[in-house]
Short mmCIF file of all heavy atoms in Angstrom, two decimals:
data_model
loop_
_atom_site.label_atom_id
_atom_site.label_comp_id
_atom_site.label_asym_id
_atom_site.label_seq_id
_atom_site.Cartn_x
_atom_site.Cartn_y
_atom_site.Cartn_z
N GLY A 1 -5.62 7.44 7.54
CA GLY A 1 -4.52 7.53 8.49
C GLY A 1 -3.48 8.58 8.17
O GLY A 1 -2.70 8.95 9.03
N GLY A 2 -3.41 9.02 6.91
CA GLY A 2 -2.44 10.05 6.54
C GLY A 2 -1.11 9.47 6.07
O GLY A 2 -0.92 8.25 5.99
N ASP A 3 -0.21 10.38 5.74
CA ASP A 3 1.11 9.98 5.24
C ASP A 3 1.81 9.02 6.18
O ASP A 3 1.78 9.19 7.40
CB ASP A 3 2.00 11.22 5.04
CG ASP A 3 1.63 12.02 3.81
OD1 ASP A 3 0.98 11.46 2.91
OD2 ASP A 3 1.98 13.22 3.76
N LEU A 4 2.44 8.03 5.60
CA LEU A 4 3.27 7.03 6.29
C LEU A 4 2.50 6.13 7.26
O LEU A 4 3.10 5.43 8.07
CB LEU A 4 4.45 7.70 7.01
CG LEU A 4 5.39 8.50 6.12
CD1 LEU A 4 6.41 9.25 6.97
CD2 LEU A 4 6.09 7.60 5.13
N HIS A 5 1.20 6.14 7.17
CA HIS A 5 0.39 5.33 8.08
C HIS A 5 0.10 3.96 7.47
O HIS A 5 -0.15 3.86 6.27
CB HIS A 5 -0.92 6.06 8.42
CG HIS A 5 -1.57 5.56 9.66
ND1 HIS A 5 -2.35 4.44 9.69
CD2 HIS A 5 -1.53 6.03 10.93
CE1 HIS A 5 -2.79 4.24 10.92
NE2 HIS A 5 -2.30 5.20 11.69
N GLU A 6 0.13 2.94 8.29
CA GLU A 6 -0.15 1.58 7.82
C GLU A 6 -1.55 1.46 7.23
O GLU A 6 -1.77 0.68 6.30
CB GLU A 6 0.02 0.57 8.96
CG GLU A 6 1.45 0.32 9.32
CD GLU A 6 1.61 -0.73 10.43
OE1 GLU A 6 0.68 -1.56 10.61
OE2 GLU A 6 2.65 -0.70 11.09
N ASP A 7 -2.50 2.23 7.77
CA ASP A 7 -3.87 2.18 7.24
C ASP A 7 -3.90 2.66 5.79
O ASP A 7 -4.69 2.14 4.98
CB ASP A 7 -4.83 3.01 8.09
CG ASP A 7 -5.12 2.37 9.44
OD1 ASP A 7 -4.74 1.19 9.64
OD2 ASP A 7 -5.71 3.05 10.30
N ALA A 8 -3.08 3.63 5.44
CA ALA A 8 -3.02 4.10 4.05
C ALA A 8 -2.46 3.00 3.15
O ALA A 8 -2.94 2.78 2.03
CB ALA A 8 -2.17 5.37 3.95
N GLU A 9 -1.46 2.27 3.64
CA GLU A 9 -0.88 1.16 2.88
C GLU A 9 -1.92 0.04 2.69
O GLU A 9 -2.04 -0.53 1.61
CB GLU A 9 0.37 0.63 3.57
CG GLU A 9 1.49 1.65 3.60
CD GLU A 9 2.62 1.31 4.56
OE1 GLU A 9 2.53 0.27 5.26
OE2 GLU A 9 3.59 2.08 4.60
N THR A 10 -2.68 -0.23 3.74
CA THR A 10 -3.74 -1.23 3.67
C THR A 10 -4.82 -0.79 2.69
O THR A 10 -5.34 -1.61 1.90
CB THR A 10 -4.35 -1.48 5.07
OG1 THR A 10 -3.30 -1.92 5.94
CG2 THR A 10 -5.46 -2.51 5.03
N PHE A 11 -5.15 0.50 2.70
CA PHE A 11 -6.14 1.04 1.76
C PHE A 11 -5.67 0.82 0.33
O PHE A 11 -6.44 0.36 -0.53
CB PHE A 11 -6.38 2.53 2.04
CG PHE A 11 -7.17 3.20 0.95
CD1 PHE A 11 -8.53 2.98 0.83
CD2 PHE A 11 -6.54 4.03 0.03
CE1 PHE A 11 -9.26 3.59 -0.20
CE2 PHE A 11 -7.25 4.64 -0.99
CZ PHE A 11 -8.62 4.41 -1.11
N VAL A 12 -4.42 1.15 0.05
CA VAL A 12 -3.90 0.98 -1.31
C VAL A 12 -4.01 -0.49 -1.72
O VAL A 12 -4.42 -0.80 -2.83
CB VAL A 12 -2.45 1.49 -1.43
CG1 VAL A 12 -1.83 1.11 -2.76
CG2 VAL A 12 -2.41 3.00 -1.24
N ALA A 13 -3.66 -1.40 -0.82
CA ALA A 13 -3.74 -2.83 -1.12
C ALA A 13 -5.18 -3.25 -1.42
O ALA A 13 -5.40 -4.19 -2.19
CB ALA A 13 -3.17 -3.64 0.04
N SER A 14 -6.14 -2.55 -0.85
CA SER A 14 -7.55 -2.91 -1.07
C SER A 14 -8.09 -2.40 -2.40
O SER A 14 -9.09 -2.92 -2.89
CB SER A 14 -8.42 -2.39 0.08
OG SER A 14 -8.60 -0.98 -0.02
N ILE A 15 -7.44 -1.40 -2.99
CA ILE A 15 -7.96 -0.84 -4.25
C ILE A 15 -7.09 -1.17 -5.47
O ILE A 15 -7.54 -0.98 -6.60
CB ILE A 15 -8.16 0.68 -4.16
CG1 ILE A 15 -6.83 1.40 -3.93
CG2 ILE A 15 -9.18 1.05 -3.09
CD1 ILE A 15 -6.88 2.91 -4.13
N VAL A 16 -5.87 -1.64 -5.24
CA VAL A 16 -4.97 -1.96 -6.36
C VAL A 16 -4.53 -3.41 -6.24
O VAL A 16 -3.98 -3.81 -5.21
CB VAL A 16 -3.73 -1.03 -6.36
CG1 VAL A 16 -2.82 -1.36 -7.53
CG2 VAL A 16 -4.13 0.43 -6.39
N SER A 17 -4.75 -4.17 -7.29
CA SER A 17 -4.34 -5.58 -7.28
C SER A 17 -2.82 -5.67 -7.31
O SER A 17 -2.15 -4.91 -8.01
CB SER A 17 -4.90 -6.31 -8.49
OG SER A 17 -6.30 -6.30 -8.46
N PHE A 18 -2.31 -6.61 -6.56
CA PHE A 18 -0.87 -6.86 -6.59
C PHE A 18 -0.48 -7.49 -7.92
O PHE A 18 -1.24 -8.29 -8.48
CB PHE A 18 -0.45 -7.81 -5.46
CG PHE A 18 -0.51 -7.20 -4.09
CD1 PHE A 18 -1.40 -7.66 -3.13
CD2 PHE A 18 0.35 -6.16 -3.75
CE1 PHE A 18 -1.45 -7.10 -1.87
CE2 PHE A 18 0.31 -5.60 -2.47
CZ PHE A 18 -0.59 -6.06 -1.54
N VAL A 19 0.69 -7.14 -8.42
CA VAL A 19 1.23 -7.82 -9.59
C VAL A 19 1.80 -9.15 -9.11
O VAL A 19 1.97 -9.36 -7.91
CB VAL A 19 2.32 -6.98 -10.31
CG1 VAL A 19 1.74 -5.69 -10.85
CG2 VAL A 19 3.51 -6.72 -9.42
N PRO A 20 2.12 -10.08 -10.03
CA PRO A 20 2.73 -11.34 -9.56
C PRO A 20 3.97 -11.05 -8.71
O PRO A 20 4.78 -10.19 -9.05
CB PRO A 20 3.11 -12.03 -10.88
CG PRO A 20 2.13 -11.50 -11.87
CD PRO A 20 1.91 -10.06 -11.47
N PHE A 21 4.07 -11.72 -7.60
CA PHE A 21 5.15 -11.60 -6.63
C PHE A 21 5.05 -10.35 -5.76
O PHE A 21 5.89 -10.13 -4.90
CB PHE A 21 6.54 -11.67 -7.29
CG PHE A 21 6.70 -12.87 -8.17
CD1 PHE A 21 6.74 -12.73 -9.55
CD2 PHE A 21 6.76 -14.14 -7.62
CE1 PHE A 21 6.88 -13.85 -10.37
CE2 PHE A 21 6.90 -15.26 -8.43
CZ PHE A 21 6.96 -15.11 -9.81
N GLY A 22 4.06 -9.52 -5.99
CA GLY A 22 3.86 -8.34 -5.14
C GLY A 22 3.19 -8.74 -3.85
O GLY A 22 2.54 -9.77 -3.77
N GLY A 23 3.34 -7.90 -2.81
CA GLY A 23 2.72 -8.29 -1.56
C GLY A 23 2.64 -7.22 -0.50
O GLY A 23 2.07 -7.46 0.54
N ALA A 24 3.21 -6.04 -0.75
CA ALA A 24 3.14 -4.97 0.25
C ALA A 24 3.28 -3.63 -0.44
O ALA A 24 3.85 -3.52 -1.53
CB ALA A 24 4.25 -5.14 1.29
N TRP A 25 2.75 -2.60 0.21
CA TRP A 25 2.87 -1.23 -0.30
C TRP A 25 3.56 -0.37 0.75
O TRP A 25 3.28 -0.50 1.94
CB TRP A 25 1.49 -0.64 -0.58
CG TRP A 25 0.79 -1.30 -1.73
CD1 TRP A 25 -0.16 -2.28 -1.66
CD2 TRP A 25 0.99 -1.04 -3.12
NE1 TRP A 25 -0.56 -2.64 -2.92
CE2 TRP A 25 0.13 -1.89 -3.83
CE3 TRP A 25 1.82 -0.17 -3.83
CZ2 TRP A 25 0.07 -1.90 -5.23
CZ3 TRP A 25 1.76 -0.18 -5.21
CH2 TRP A 25 0.90 -1.02 -5.90
N LYS A 26 4.44 0.51 0.30
CA LYS A 26 5.09 1.50 1.17
C LYS A 26 5.01 2.85 0.47
O LYS A 26 5.32 2.96 -0.72
CB LYS A 26 6.57 1.16 1.44
CG LYS A 26 6.77 0.02 2.41
CD LYS A 26 6.34 0.43 3.80
CE LYS A 26 6.35 -0.74 4.74
NZ LYS A 26 5.74 -0.44 6.01
N GLN A 27 4.65 3.85 1.23
CA GLN A 27 4.58 5.19 0.66
C GLN A 27 5.99 5.71 0.40
O GLN A 27 6.92 5.45 1.16
CB GLN A 27 3.82 6.14 1.59
CG GLN A 27 3.51 7.47 0.94
CD GLN A 27 2.61 8.33 1.80
OE1 GLN A 27 2.22 7.96 2.90
NE2 GLN A 27 2.26 9.50 1.29
N THR A 28 6.14 6.44 -0.69
CA THR A 28 7.42 7.05 -1.05
C THR A 28 7.18 8.52 -1.37
O THR A 28 6.09 8.91 -1.78
CB THR A 28 8.08 6.31 -2.23
OG1 THR A 28 9.36 6.87 -2.49
CG2 THR A 28 7.22 6.34 -3.48
N SER A 29 8.17 9.33 -1.14
CA SER A 29 8.04 10.77 -1.34
C SER A 29 8.67 11.19 -2.65
O SER A 29 9.88 11.02 -2.85
CB SER A 29 8.71 11.53 -0.19
OG SER A 29 8.79 12.91 -0.49
#
């Protein structure tokens, strides 16, 4: 999906396990 796209955030969630209390990813510059 590219920069700032929800699909990229979903992709990251699928390849990186959340730490305790983690639950979402947001791209930062």
Side-chain angles (χ1 to χ4, degrees):
D3 285 339
L4 301 173
H5 200 278
E6 287 182 23
D7 288 350
E9 294 166 358
T10 301
F11 169 75
V12 171
S14 75
I15 63 168
V16 181
S17 298
F18 288 115
V19 297
F21 308 109
W25 292 98
K26 285 292 172 190
Q27 190 172 1
T28 184
S29 170

